[in-house]
């Protein structure tokens, strides 16, 4: 894990530099071309070897413009690879409410997001790639464990947050693979409420690190 | 699920027809060529559309010879696609002992099997394929849920064994993907005992369908 140090800086809000309102469509095009270039760079070189500067070069834009739209590499990565699942949003949603509901909140967020076909297709494709190529596996690990689960686990206790996060990942990734990738019935067509009721407590349990009674 | 009726017959032991001991190596070649042909047929046509007869034709052997080595299509499928994980063996191992240890037994079997590099590589490849191609997903569903988890769930109660099996599948497949596919640490290098202690109770809970306290 020694080389994966790109996430240590606190995320800053994207800088706004007086982008004129009328240029919206052009700005959207620019932003979109940055995301496309980033996806290609990440796919070719992996997360660690890809830089904001290299992405700017590939997109033929000034590096300052990349930083105008994206606060850091993690932000751009999330957009490029797993846009529907923004890590800081997931963490905020999960921690929003009573401590004993964190697992349920997290599962609710995942199900609400991935019940949408476009997001589902994108995440299943990412998982497919991650099971075949190490750099994609590494990106998914960083995203799911370091950016999301470990942060939540750290809120629930000091000890072994990485251990707890990695075990919580088994239930989270298993839900995604079984419901959206393999489409195992009746899980695949179960209501969000049923899924939250059955999977939420398990994610909670893994995150807390409690012994099961 | 209406077309997936190939598993209803009870498995019979392979028939022994006085194969001469000296012909061992030739017999092994024949058996191996049947398995290879089966893997190709399953991969091209999917499980339902593949027949024992078609496999015999592809392997250029008499259909009776296929039935000499393999009791039914499920048996041949297990050998062709997921040889290290034979369903009847997994079910027997899981049910061997006290009822409340079924989840732990199942997880122990999976970890003991997949901690071996060849088996791990084969299963991760199968999962990779299953997330990209529907026929492979269907084969994996049939194998994991119908042949293994639903049978175990049915031993633990009459109601909703398919529902319970499909939720147990989330934790089982998630363990396999996270530990062996994505290699998430420290889960990936945790001892078998640690994995059984943390994942076994969850699988048990999903299989029993109990509310978590």
């Amino acid at each position: 894990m020694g080389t994966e140090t790109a996430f240590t800086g606190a995320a800053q809000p994207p800088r706004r530099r007086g982008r004129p309102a009328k240029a919206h469509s052009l700005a959207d095009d620019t932003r979109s071309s940055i995301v496309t270039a980033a996806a290609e760079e990440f796919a070719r070189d992996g997360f660690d070897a890809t830089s904001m500067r290299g992405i700017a070069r590939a997109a033929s834009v000034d590096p300052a413009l990349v930083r105008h739209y994206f606060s850091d590499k993690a932000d751009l990565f999330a957009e490029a690879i797993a846009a529907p699942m923004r890590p800081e949003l997931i963490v905020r949603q999960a921690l929003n409410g009573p401590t004993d509901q964190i697992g349920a909140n997290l599962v609710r967020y995942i199900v609400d997001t991935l019940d949408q076909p476009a997001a589902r297709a994108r995440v299943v494709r990412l998982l497919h790639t991650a099971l075949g190529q190490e750099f994609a596996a590494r990106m998914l690990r960083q995203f799911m464990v370091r950016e999301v689960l470990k942060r939540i686990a750290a809120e629930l206790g000091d000890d072994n947050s990485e251990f707890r996060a990695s075990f919580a990942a088994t239930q989270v990734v298993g839900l995604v693979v079984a419901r959206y990738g393999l489409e195992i019935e009746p899980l695949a067509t179960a209501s969000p409420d049923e899924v939250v009721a059955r999977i939420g407590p398990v994610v909670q349990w893994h995150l807390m690190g409690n012994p099961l009674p």
Side-chain angles (χ1 to χ4, degrees), chain A residues 17 84 157 175 182:
Chain A
R17 292 186 183 177
L175 168 63
L182 303 178

Side-chain angles (χ1 to χ4, degrees), chain A residues 61-108:
Chain A
V61 300
D62 192 276
L65 199 57
V66 176
R67 273 182 233 102
H68 170 80
Y69 290 112
F70 303 97
S71 56
D72 57 16
K73 195 163 75 165
D75 187 38
L76 184 46
F77 164 69
E79 184 99 15
I81 305 295
M85 308 278 276
R86 294 180 62 78
E88 73 285 0
L89 191 59
I90 303 176
V91 172
R92 200 160 56 226
Q93 289 277 335
L95 297 177
N96 180 26
T99 300
D100 64 358
Q101 289 301 303
I102 288 175
N105 291 344
L106 181 59
V107 173
R108 175 78 63 187

Side-chain angles (χ1 to χ4, degrees), chain A residues 61-198:
Chain A
V61 300
D62 192 276
L65 199 57
V66 176
R67 273 182 233 102
H68 170 80
Y69 290 112
F70 303 97
S71 56
D72 57 16
K73 195 163 75 165
D75 187 38
L76 184 46
F77 164 69
E79 184 99 15
I81 305 295
M85 308 278 276
R86 294 180 62 78
E88 73 285 0
L89 191 59
I90 303 176
V91 172
R92 200 160 56 226
Q93 289 277 335
L95 297 177
N96 180 26
T99 300
D100 64 358
Q101 289 301 303
I102 288 175
N105 291 344
L106 181 59
V107 173
R108 175 78 63 187
Y109 182 86
I110 292 168
V111 170
D112 284 351
T113 303
L114 297 187
D115 277 358
Q116 300 166 42
R120 166 199 313 222
R122 194 163 187 173
V123 168
V124 170
R125 207 158 47 230
L126 174 60
L127 274 161
H128 169 76
T129 306
L131 289 176
Q133 298 182 294
E134 169 54 22
F135 72 80
R138 190 169 65 230
M139 285 193 273
L140 192 57
R141 281 197 301 270
Q142 289 174 326
F143 172 78
M144 185 169 54
V145 182
R146 186 185 322 178
E147 293 298 305
V148 176
L149 293 172
K150 197 178 161 192
R151 286 181 182 181
I152 298 172
E155 293 288 324
L156 294 171
D158 292 329
D159 285 351
N160 290 324
S161 63
E162 195 145 9
F163 182 89
R164 288 182 277 124
S166 75
F167 277 78
T170 67
Q171 181 61 93
V172 168
V173 79
L175 168 63
V176 175
V177 169
R179 180 172 165 98
Y180 302 104
L182 303 178
E183 300 185 76
I184 295 173
E185 292 293 0
L187 165 76
T189 50
S191 71
D193 284 349
E194 280 178 305
V195 175
V196 170
R198 298 300 304 167

